[in-house]
Amino acid sequence: MFNIENIPLLLTGMRVTLIVWGGSALCSLVLGTVFGLLCCAPLRIPIIAPLMSAITMVLRGIPFYIQLLIAYFVIPDLLGLANVNASLMATLALGLCSAAYTSQAVVSGINGIATAQWETAFVLGYSPLQTIRFIILPQLIAAITPALCAEADQLIKSTAIFSSIGIMELTGMARNIITREFNPIPIYLTIAGMYLVISLTLNGIIRLAQKTRRTYAKS
Amino acid sequence: MLKVNISRMYYCDNGNAPKIITHDKALSLAPGQLGMLVGTSGVGKTTLLRCIVGLHDNYDGTITIAKTNIRNLTRQQRVNLLGYVPQDYPLINNLTASDNISQPLALTQKWPKEKAKQEARRLLEKFGISDCAQRYPNQLSGGQRQRVRLAMALAIKPQILILDEPTSALDKTNTELVAGALQEACQNNVSVLVSTQDDYLRQLLAKQCFGTIFNLEKT
C-alpha cells in the first residue's frame, strides 16, 4: 500500500531531478554547439577540431556511469578538492557527456546546410559571426531540433544514475523511502509514473513549439 | 575598371588532383561597359566568375578592380564593388524574399531597417514580384527566386555586377525586364559581366548596350 506521506518527499526528489536535468541540458546545449561548430567542415580549425573530435570520441566511448564516478571521486582527488558538491559534479559530468552527442547532431546539421548558403553570405559581405548568427544558426536549429529533443528526453532518464553517488533526486529519494519502509512495489511504480509524466510533458512542449515554428514558416 | 588576366585556372574535385580548365584568358571592363562571357559548357565560365567574386581562389594570374588585386580587398570593399548573381540563384533559406534583400543592406551597408525594407519593396515591385515579399525561398518558383537574387545584387549598388545565367529560369517578358535592369545599371556607370547561353538575352543586350563578347573557348 502506498503511503501518502511519501508524496512530498518524492516531489522534493522530482524538483532535484528537474534542476540537475536543466543544468545538464543547458551545459550540453552550449558545449555541444561550441564543439560542433569547431568540428564542422566549413569552420574546421586546425589543431582545435581534431582535439574536439578526440574529446567527443572519448566521452561517447565510456559509459556514463563510469564518467560520473570519475567526475565525483577521481577528478576532485586529483585536483586536491575537498567537499565537492555532488549535484554540481554530476550535472557537469552529464552535461559534458551529452555535449558529445549534441555536437554530433550539430556537425551533421551544419554539414547538411548547403554550401550555397555560406557562399551567399560571403558574397553579400556577412562577417563569419553574422553568417552564423543570421543564416546558419536559424537553419541549424530547425534541422536538429528533433535530435536535440530526443537527447533532452534521454537526459531526464540518465539523472536516475545520480542516486549512486548519494544525490537525493527522484530515484535516490525513492530508494531512501524503500530502505525505510521495505515496500518497493508502489514506490517504484509511482516514480516510474512521475518520470513518464516529466517525459510526456517535455514531449508535449516540444511538439507545440515545433507546430508553432511550422505555422510561422508557412505564414 | 575590372581587369582579368589569368594564365591558368584550376578546378579541384574533393580529393582529386587539380585540373587545369583554362589557359591565358584576359578581359577588361570599363565602368558602364557590358561584357558577355560565352563558351561551351565546361569551358570555365562559372569558375572564372567565381574567381572574380572571390569564391574560387585556385588560379595563376591577377584579377584587379581599379588597380587593386581582388585578393587584397577587404570584405567591405569587396561587397561595395562586386554584386553577384550565381547560376543556381540561391537565397537565404530562413528569410522571406523581402528580408533576403533588406537584411544584407541593414547588416553590411548599415542602412536603417525601415529604409532597407522600403528598398526591398521597391525592387520587388520593379521585378514584378511584390506579391512574393513575405514568401520563403521554398515557396518561390525558379524564376521568382532568380529575380529576388538579382534584386539582392542590385540593392547593394555595386560598381561591378557579375551574373551567371541570369535568365535561365525566365520567360521572354521577364528576360526583357532583366535586360532592361542591366541596361539601366550600365547607364548608372556599373560594369556588367554576364555569362549566358540565352540567345534572346544576348540579342537584347547586344541591341541595347552594345555588349562586348568575351569568348572563353579553349585555344
Side-chain angles (χ1 to χ4, degrees), chain B residues 86-143:
Chain B
Q87 195 169 27
D88 40 6
Y89 34 90
L91 303 180
I92 301 170
N93 289 337
N94 54 305
L95 298 179
T96 60
S98 172
D99 290 345
N100 260 281
I101 301 167
S102 63
Q103 193 188 72
L105 285 177
L107 288 179
T108 66
Q109 306 295 305
K110 311 287 177 215
W111 283 32
K113 274 186 184 170
E114 199 42 52
K115 190 182 166 197
K117 282 182 187 296
Q118 267 177 17
E119 179 66 1
R121 275 196 292 274
R122 186 187 72 78
L123 284 164
L124 289 171
E125 202 163 322
K126 180 178 177 176
F127 287 107
I129 41 173
S130 48
D131 55 327
C132 303
Q134 295 312 313
R135 291 196 208 156
Y136 286 86
N138 62 356
Q139 298 166 323
L140 298 173
S141 72

Side-chain angles (χ1 to χ4, degrees), chain A residues 99-177:
Chain A
Y101 294 92
T102 303
S103 71
Q104 294 306 302
V106 171
V107 168
S108 59
I110 291 178
N111 291 345
I113 294 172
T115 316
Q117 296 294 302
W118 295 88
E119 290 186 349
T120 302
F122 174 84
V123 168
L124 292 170
Y126 282 47
S127 68
L129 270 181
Q130 285 173 334
T131 306
I132 291 172
R133 159 75 180 82
F134 294 103
I135 300 179
I136 303 304
L137 273 184
Q139 294 183 39
L140 178 67
I141 290 166
I144 66 170
T145 300
L148 292 187
C149 294
E151 184 60 27
D153 200 16
Q154 182 57 41
L155 275 185
I156 292 175
K157 287 159 249 176
S158 297
T159 57
I161 302 175
F162 287 4
S163 60
S164 62
I165 58 167
I167 297 170
M168 284 299 114
E169 44 70 63
L170 192 51
T171 307
M173 198 61 89
R175 284 167 70 169
N176 219 12
I177 295 167

